[in-house]
Amino acid sequence: MTAASPTDPPLNSATTLLGPGGPSVTRLALGTMTFGVETEQAEAFAQLDRYVEHGGTFIDTADVYGQGESERIVGRWLADRGHDHLVISTKGRFGAAAGTPGASRRALRRAVAGSLSRLGVDALDLYFVHGWDELTPVEETLDTLSALVRAGTVHQIGWSNVTGWQLQRIVTTARLGGHVVPTVLQPQYNLLDRGIELEVLPVCLEESLALTPWSPLAGGWLTGKYQRDSRPTGATRLGEDPDRGVEAYDVRNTDRTWRILDTVTSIAERHGRPPAHVALAWLLSRPAVASVLLGARTTEQLEQTLGAVDLALDEDEITALTRVSDPGLPPYPYGMVEDFCGVSHWERLGVRPS
């Protein structure tokens, strides 16, 4: 195992609680979606080693990543290296490895059992339901998760990829029904996509849920590696698949994106840092954000982002980034509510300066 450089900022110099009563974790987490798909086991082990050498304590995976191979790789690494000081989270809902999709009692019990086996652990520190299940009553999902917590199989629960009304229904149902209440949400959140600030973030603030955002660099866009007038090519995610999901080149190649990137780059140059550090520092300054998931194909890419932990932007820089990335509000009902209240939706949340 290669020792970290003395000049590397330790990740454990900045820690936070993962929701009310949750464990203390580092503010930069390691996401493992690439493991077993874009990143082979040897390179995945190198990433995990490097992350822990830097002081990282929070590793996130899911049963859907690589059809379960990501969990298997993490499990083999844990078996070899030990993991008592680490917080491990995984997710289930889509049945990629368990063979049973959904968040029903049967599906979740199978999914959790499969994740425990692949990770080689006795209990999951944090278990996320990976998305809303319109076919299963949320009471059944919560009852199943609560039973798993009471049995000691799962320590803490969360959700991912839900709307505001869905999240509020989950939390309210849990409280009224005497179930275990979710304490963490894992959404997409970054300078290019601030959609959760409309309804999801207000619920998190109201209900004291911590955020662990995925895609903090917008699929590589906020690293500055893509160009306005040149479609990506080569060994990058968009180079291999320009139409890839929410980060597709034609979807994000907009004037707003380039205005944001110009501001990110300007601030990065002022600090002598890569653009990714600025984007991550802005996200870490947002309300409710506890820990941000870093994902990388290679150890070199991971190294480029780990140093962001010690970058503190000043108030003017945060204001500039927040204003240039302002997505705007639909005039109804938000505009009308602002008129009634005399304060803007964003200011009330503390996510946009006046």
Short mmCIF file of all heavy atoms in Angstrom, two decimals, residues 189 191 194-202 205 211 282-283 285-289 318-327 329 338 343-354:
data_model
loop_
_atom_site.label_atom_id
_atom_site.label_comp_id
_atom_site.label_asym_id
_atom_site.label_seq_id
_atom_site.Cartn_x
_atom_site.Cartn_y
_atom_site.Cartn_z
N TYR A 189 -27.06 16.20 -7.50
CA TYR A 189 -26.98 17.61 -7.12
C TYR A 189 -25.62 18.14 -7.54
O TYR A 189 -24.59 17.57 -7.19
CB TYR A 189 -27.17 17.75 -5.60
CG TYR A 189 -27.42 19.14 -5.07
CD1 TYR A 189 -27.88 20.19 -5.88
CD2 TYR A 189 -27.19 19.42 -3.72
CE1 TYR A 189 -28.13 21.44 -5.37
CE2 TYR A 189 -27.44 20.68 -3.19
CZ TYR A 189 -27.91 21.69 -4.03
OH TYR A 189 -28.15 22.94 -3.50
N LEU A 191 -23.69 21.95 -9.70
CA LEU A 191 -23.89 23.29 -10.23
C LEU A 191 -24.75 23.31 -11.49
O LEU A 191 -25.43 24.30 -11.77
CB LEU A 191 -22.54 23.96 -10.52
CG LEU A 191 -21.85 24.64 -9.34
CD1 LEU A 191 -20.38 24.92 -9.68
CD2 LEU A 191 -22.56 25.93 -8.97
N ARG A 194 -29.63 21.80 -10.24
CA ARG A 194 -30.04 22.20 -8.89
C ARG A 194 -31.54 21.96 -8.69
O ARG A 194 -32.18 22.58 -7.85
CB ARG A 194 -29.70 23.68 -8.67
CG ARG A 194 -28.19 23.94 -8.64
CD ARG A 194 -27.86 25.43 -8.61
NE ARG A 194 -28.52 26.12 -7.51
CZ ARG A 194 -28.47 27.44 -7.33
NH1 ARG A 194 -27.78 28.20 -8.18
NH2 ARG A 194 -29.10 27.99 -6.32
N GLY A 195 -32.08 21.01 -9.46
CA GLY A 195 -33.51 20.76 -9.42
C GLY A 195 -34.05 20.37 -8.07
O GLY A 195 -35.21 20.64 -7.76
N ILE A 196 -33.23 19.75 -7.23
CA ILE A 196 -33.73 19.32 -5.91
C ILE A 196 -34.07 20.51 -5.02
O ILE A 196 -34.77 20.36 -4.02
CB ILE A 196 -32.76 18.38 -5.18
CG1 ILE A 196 -31.49 19.12 -4.74
CG2 ILE A 196 -32.45 17.15 -6.01
CD1 ILE A 196 -30.69 18.37 -3.71
N GLU A 197 -33.57 21.69 -5.37
CA GLU A 197 -33.81 22.85 -4.52
C GLU A 197 -35.26 23.33 -4.56
O GLU A 197 -35.69 24.10 -3.69
CB GLU A 197 -32.87 23.99 -4.91
CG GLU A 197 -31.42 23.69 -4.60
CD GLU A 197 -30.45 24.76 -5.08
OE1 GLU A 197 -30.91 25.78 -5.64
OE2 GLU A 197 -29.24 24.57 -4.90
N LEU A 198 -36.02 22.87 -5.56
CA LEU A 198 -37.43 23.26 -5.63
C LEU A 198 -38.26 22.64 -4.51
O LEU A 198 -38.94 23.35 -3.77
CB LEU A 198 -38.02 22.86 -6.98
CG LEU A 198 -37.69 23.74 -8.17
CD1 LEU A 198 -38.21 23.10 -9.45
CD2 LEU A 198 -38.27 25.13 -8.01
N GLU A 199 -38.20 21.33 -4.36
CA GLU A 199 -39.06 20.64 -3.40
C GLU A 199 -38.32 19.64 -2.52
O GLU A 199 -38.67 19.46 -1.36
CB GLU A 199 -40.21 19.91 -4.13
CG GLU A 199 -41.16 20.83 -4.87
CD GLU A 199 -42.05 21.64 -3.95
OE1 GLU A 199 -42.10 21.33 -2.74
OE2 GLU A 199 -42.68 22.60 -4.43
N VAL A 200 -37.33 18.96 -3.08
CA VAL A 200 -36.65 17.90 -2.33
C VAL A 200 -35.81 18.48 -1.19
O VAL A 200 -35.90 18.01 -0.04
CB VAL A 200 -35.78 17.04 -3.27
CG1 VAL A 200 -34.98 16.02 -2.46
CG2 VAL A 200 -36.64 16.34 -4.30
N LEU A 201 -34.99 19.48 -1.48
CA LEU A 201 -34.16 20.07 -0.44
C LEU A 201 -34.99 20.68 0.70
O LEU A 201 -34.64 20.50 1.88
CB LEU A 201 -33.22 21.11 -1.04
CG LEU A 201 -32.29 21.82 -0.05
CD1 LEU A 201 -31.45 20.84 0.74
CD2 LEU A 201 -31.40 22.82 -0.79
N PRO A 202 -36.09 21.39 0.40
CA PRO A 202 -36.91 21.89 1.51
C PRO A 202 -37.40 20.79 2.44
O PRO A 202 -37.45 20.98 3.67
CB PRO A 202 -38.08 22.58 0.80
CG PRO A 202 -37.51 23.03 -0.50
CD PRO A 202 -36.55 21.94 -0.89
N LEU A 205 -34.48 19.74 4.67
CA LEU A 205 -34.23 20.71 5.73
C LEU A 205 -35.31 20.65 6.81
O LEU A 205 -35.03 20.74 8.00
CB LEU A 205 -34.16 22.12 5.14
CG LEU A 205 -32.96 22.39 4.22
CD1 LEU A 205 -33.10 23.74 3.55
CD2 LEU A 205 -31.66 22.30 4.99
N LEU A 211 -27.84 15.04 3.11
CA LEU A 211 -27.70 14.76 1.69
C LEU A 211 -26.32 14.18 1.40
O LEU A 211 -25.31 14.67 1.92
CB LEU A 211 -27.86 16.04 0.86
CG LEU A 211 -29.23 16.69 0.80
CD1 LEU A 211 -29.15 17.97 -0.01
CD2 LEU A 211 -30.25 15.76 0.20
N TRP A 282 -18.16 24.29 -3.71
CA TRP A 282 -19.48 24.94 -3.73
C TRP A 282 -20.54 23.98 -3.20
O TRP A 282 -21.37 24.35 -2.37
CB TRP A 282 -19.83 25.39 -5.14
CG TRP A 282 -21.21 25.97 -5.24
CD1 TRP A 282 -21.58 27.27 -5.00
CD2 TRP A 282 -22.42 25.27 -5.56
NE1 TRP A 282 -22.94 27.42 -5.16
CE2 TRP A 282 -23.48 26.22 -5.51
CE3 TRP A 282 -22.71 23.96 -5.90
CZ2 TRP A 282 -24.81 25.86 -5.77
CZ3 TRP A 282 -24.03 23.60 -6.16
CH2 TRP A 282 -25.06 24.55 -6.09
N LEU A 283 -20.52 22.74 -3.67
CA LEU A 283 -21.53 21.78 -3.27
C LEU A 283 -21.45 21.48 -1.77
O LEU A 283 -22.48 21.36 -1.09
CB LEU A 283 -21.37 20.49 -4.08
CG LEU A 283 -22.44 19.42 -3.91
CD1 LEU A 283 -23.84 19.98 -4.19
CD2 LEU A 283 -22.16 18.23 -4.82
N SER A 285 -20.73 23.46 0.43
CA SER A 285 -21.22 24.62 1.18
C SER A 285 -22.74 24.69 1.23
O SER A 285 -23.30 25.51 1.96
CB SER A 285 -20.70 25.92 0.54
OG SER A 285 -21.41 26.25 -0.65
N ARG A 286 -23.42 23.82 0.49
CA ARG A 286 -24.89 23.87 0.40
C ARG A 286 -25.54 23.33 1.67
O ARG A 286 -25.03 22.40 2.30
CB ARG A 286 -25.39 23.04 -0.80
CG ARG A 286 -24.92 23.51 -2.16
CD ARG A 286 -25.41 24.91 -2.51
NE ARG A 286 -24.58 25.94 -1.93
CZ ARG A 286 -24.94 27.21 -1.78
NH1 ARG A 286 -26.15 27.60 -2.14
NH2 ARG A 286 -24.11 28.07 -1.24
N PRO A 287 -26.69 23.87 2.04
CA PRO A 287 -27.41 23.37 3.22
C PRO A 287 -27.73 21.88 3.10
O PRO A 287 -28.06 21.40 2.02
CB PRO A 287 -28.70 24.20 3.21
CG PRO A 287 -28.36 25.44 2.44
CD PRO A 287 -27.38 25.00 1.40
N ALA A 288 -27.59 21.18 4.20
CA ALA A 288 -27.93 19.76 4.36
C ALA A 288 -26.93 18.80 3.72
O ALA A 288 -26.99 17.60 3.96
CB ALA A 288 -29.33 19.45 3.83
N VAL A 289 -25.99 19.30 2.90
CA VAL A 289 -25.03 18.41 2.26
C VAL A 289 -24.02 17.93 3.30
O VAL A 289 -23.30 18.72 3.90
CB VAL A 289 -24.31 19.09 1.08
CG1 VAL A 289 -23.17 18.20 0.56
CG2 VAL A 289 -25.30 19.39 -0.04
N ILE A 318 -18.74 32.05 -3.62
CA ILE A 318 -19.94 31.23 -3.52
C ILE A 318 -21.13 31.95 -4.14
O ILE A 318 -21.94 31.36 -4.86
CB ILE A 318 -20.22 30.87 -2.05
CG1 ILE A 318 -19.15 29.89 -1.54
CG2 ILE A 318 -21.61 30.25 -1.89
CD1 ILE A 318 -19.27 29.56 -0.07
N THR A 319 -21.22 33.27 -3.88
CA THR A 319 -22.31 34.07 -4.45
C THR A 319 -22.25 34.05 -5.98
O THR A 319 -23.27 33.87 -6.65
CB THR A 319 -22.23 35.52 -3.95
OG1 THR A 319 -22.43 35.53 -2.54
CG2 THR A 319 -23.28 36.38 -4.62
N ALA A 320 -21.05 34.21 -6.54
CA ALA A 320 -20.90 34.22 -7.99
C ALA A 320 -21.32 32.88 -8.60
O ALA A 320 -22.04 32.84 -9.62
CB ALA A 320 -19.45 34.53 -8.36
N LEU A 321 -20.92 31.78 -7.98
CA LEU A 321 -21.28 30.46 -8.49
C LEU A 321 -22.78 30.21 -8.36
O LEU A 321 -23.41 29.64 -9.25
CB LEU A 321 -20.50 29.38 -7.73
CG LEU A 321 -19.00 29.32 -8.02
CD1 LEU A 321 -18.28 28.51 -6.96
CD2 LEU A 321 -18.74 28.75 -9.41
N THR A 322 -23.35 30.63 -7.24
CA THR A 322 -24.77 30.40 -7.01
C THR A 322 -25.61 31.21 -7.97
O THR A 322 -26.62 30.72 -8.49
CB THR A 322 -25.12 30.74 -5.54
OG1 THR A 322 -24.25 30.02 -4.67
CG2 THR A 322 -26.56 30.35 -5.22
N ARG A 323 -25.21 32.43 -8.24
CA ARG A 323 -25.98 33.28 -9.16
C ARG A 323 -25.88 32.81 -10.60
O ARG A 323 -26.88 32.77 -11.32
CB ARG A 323 -25.51 34.73 -9.03
CG ARG A 323 -26.04 35.41 -7.78
CD ARG A 323 -25.54 36.83 -7.67
NE ARG A 323 -26.18 37.52 -6.54
CZ ARG A 323 -25.76 38.64 -6.01
NH1 ARG A 323 -24.68 39.23 -6.50
NH2 ARG A 323 -26.40 39.19 -5.00
N VAL A 324 -24.67 32.46 -11.03
CA VAL A 324 -24.52 32.07 -12.43
C VAL A 324 -25.22 30.73 -12.72
O VAL A 324 -25.64 30.47 -13.85
CB VAL A 324 -23.03 32.00 -12.82
CG1 VAL A 324 -22.34 30.75 -12.27
CG2 VAL A 324 -22.87 32.06 -14.33
N SER A 325 -25.37 29.90 -11.69
CA SER A 325 -26.03 28.59 -11.89
C SER A 325 -27.52 28.62 -11.52
O SER A 325 -28.18 27.59 -11.55
CB SER A 325 -25.33 27.51 -11.06
OG SER A 325 -25.44 27.78 -9.67
N ASP A 326 -28.02 29.80 -11.17
CA ASP A 326 -29.43 29.94 -10.77
C ASP A 326 -30.35 29.40 -11.87
O ASP A 326 -30.37 29.94 -12.98
CB ASP A 326 -29.71 31.42 -10.52
CG ASP A 326 -31.13 31.67 -10.02
OD1 ASP A 326 -31.94 30.73 -10.02
OD2 ASP A 326 -31.42 32.81 -9.65
N PRO A 327 -31.09 28.33 -11.59
CA PRO A 327 -31.96 27.74 -12.63
C PRO A 327 -33.26 28.50 -12.83
O PRO A 327 -34.00 28.21 -13.77
CB PRO A 327 -32.23 26.33 -12.10
CG PRO A 327 -32.16 26.48 -10.61
CD PRO A 327 -31.13 27.54 -10.34
N LEU A 329 -37.10 30.06 -11.28
CA LEU A 329 -38.29 29.43 -10.70
C LEU A 329 -39.47 29.51 -11.66
O LEU A 329 -39.66 30.54 -12.32
CB LEU A 329 -38.69 30.15 -9.40
CG LEU A 329 -37.91 29.86 -8.13
CD1 LEU A 329 -38.40 30.79 -7.03
CD2 LEU A 329 -38.07 28.42 -7.72
N GLU A 338 -43.72 33.58 -3.28
CA GLU A 338 -42.74 34.60 -2.93
C GLU A 338 -43.42 35.94 -2.66
O GLU A 338 -43.07 36.67 -1.73
CB GLU A 338 -41.71 34.76 -4.05
CG GLU A 338 -40.70 33.62 -4.11
CD GLU A 338 -39.59 33.89 -5.11
OE1 GLU A 338 -39.68 34.89 -5.85
OE2 GLU A 338 -38.64 33.10 -5.16
N VAL A 343 -40.28 36.98 0.69
CA VAL A 343 -38.90 36.50 0.65
C VAL A 343 -38.82 35.41 -0.41
O VAL A 343 -39.78 34.66 -0.61
CB VAL A 343 -38.46 35.95 2.02
CG1 VAL A 343 -39.33 34.77 2.45
CG2 VAL A 343 -36.99 35.52 2.01
N SER A 344 -37.72 35.34 -1.12
CA SER A 344 -37.61 34.38 -2.21
C SER A 344 -37.48 32.95 -1.71
O SER A 344 -37.01 32.70 -0.60
CB SER A 344 -36.40 34.72 -3.10
OG SER A 344 -35.20 34.24 -2.53
N HIS A 345 -37.90 32.04 -2.56
CA HIS A 345 -37.80 30.60 -2.26
C HIS A 345 -36.35 30.25 -1.94
O HIS A 345 -36.06 29.56 -0.96
CB HIS A 345 -38.29 29.82 -3.48
CG HIS A 345 -38.15 28.33 -3.37
ND1 HIS A 345 -39.08 27.55 -2.73
CD2 HIS A 345 -37.19 27.48 -3.82
CE1 HIS A 345 -38.70 26.28 -2.79
NE2 HIS A 345 -37.57 26.22 -3.45
N TRP A 346 -35.41 30.72 -2.75
CA TRP A 346 -34.01 30.36 -2.59
C TRP A 346 -33.42 30.95 -1.31
O TRP A 346 -32.67 30.29 -0.59
CB TRP A 346 -33.19 30.82 -3.79
CG TRP A 346 -33.73 30.39 -5.10
CD1 TRP A 346 -34.21 31.18 -6.10
CD2 TRP A 346 -33.89 29.04 -5.58
NE1 TRP A 346 -34.62 30.44 -7.16
CE2 TRP A 346 -34.44 29.11 -6.89
CE3 TRP A 346 -33.61 27.79 -5.05
CZ2 TRP A 346 -34.72 27.99 -7.64
CZ3 TRP A 346 -33.88 26.66 -5.81
CH2 TRP A 346 -34.43 26.78 -7.08
N GLU A 347 -33.75 32.22 -1.04
CA GLU A 347 -33.21 32.85 0.17
C GLU A 347 -33.71 32.15 1.43
O GLU A 347 -32.98 32.01 2.42
CB GLU A 347 -33.61 34.33 0.22
CG GLU A 347 -32.87 35.19 -0.80
CD GLU A 347 -33.41 36.60 -0.81
OE1 GLU A 347 -34.48 36.85 -1.43
OE2 GLU A 347 -32.78 37.46 -0.19
N ARG A 348 -34.96 31.72 1.41
CA ARG A 348 -35.52 31.03 2.57
C ARG A 348 -34.76 29.75 2.87
O ARG A 348 -34.61 29.34 4.01
CB ARG A 348 -37.01 30.73 2.34
CG ARG A 348 -37.75 30.21 3.55
CD ARG A 348 -39.25 30.30 3.39
NE ARG A 348 -39.73 29.61 2.22
CZ ARG A 348 -40.20 30.23 1.12
NH1 ARG A 348 -40.23 31.54 1.07
NH2 ARG A 348 -40.63 29.53 0.09
N LEU A 349 -34.26 29.10 1.80
CA LEU A 349 -33.48 27.88 1.98
C LEU A 349 -32.00 28.17 2.24
O LEU A 349 -31.25 27.28 2.62
CB LEU A 349 -33.58 27.00 0.73
CG LEU A 349 -34.97 26.51 0.35
CD1 LEU A 349 -34.89 25.66 -0.91
CD2 LEU A 349 -35.61 25.73 1.47
N GLY A 350 -31.61 29.40 2.00
CA GLY A 350 -30.20 29.74 2.16
C GLY A 350 -29.34 29.24 1.03
O GLY A 350 -28.15 28.99 1.19
N VAL A 351 -29.93 29.09 -0.18
CA VAL A 351 -29.16 28.56 -1.31
C VAL A 351 -28.93 29.59 -2.40
O VAL A 351 -28.30 29.29 -3.40
CB VAL A 351 -29.84 27.32 -1.92
CG1 VAL A 351 -29.86 26.19 -0.93
CG2 VAL A 351 -31.24 27.64 -2.40
N ARG A 352 -29.47 30.81 -2.24
CA ARG A 352 -29.15 31.84 -3.21
C ARG A 352 -29.10 33.18 -2.50
O ARG A 352 -30.07 33.59 -1.86
CB ARG A 352 -30.19 31.90 -4.32
CG ARG A 352 -29.81 32.95 -5.39
CD ARG A 352 -30.81 33.00 -6.52
NE ARG A 352 -32.05 33.64 -6.14
CZ ARG A 352 -33.06 33.86 -6.97
NH1 ARG A 352 -32.97 33.43 -8.21
NH2 ARG A 352 -34.17 34.45 -6.56
N PRO A 353 -27.97 33.90 -2.64
CA PRO A 353 -27.90 35.22 -2.02
C PRO A 353 -28.87 36.18 -2.67
O PRO A 353 -29.24 36.01 -3.83
CB PRO A 353 -26.45 35.65 -2.28
CG PRO A 353 -25.73 34.40 -2.67
CD PRO A 353 -26.75 33.52 -3.30
N SER A 354 -29.30 37.18 -1.93
CA SER A 354 -30.20 38.20 -2.49
C SER A 354 -29.45 39.11 -3.44
O SER A 354 -28.23 39.15 -3.44
CB SER A 354 -30.82 39.02 -1.36
OG SER A 354 -29.78 39.61 -0.60
#
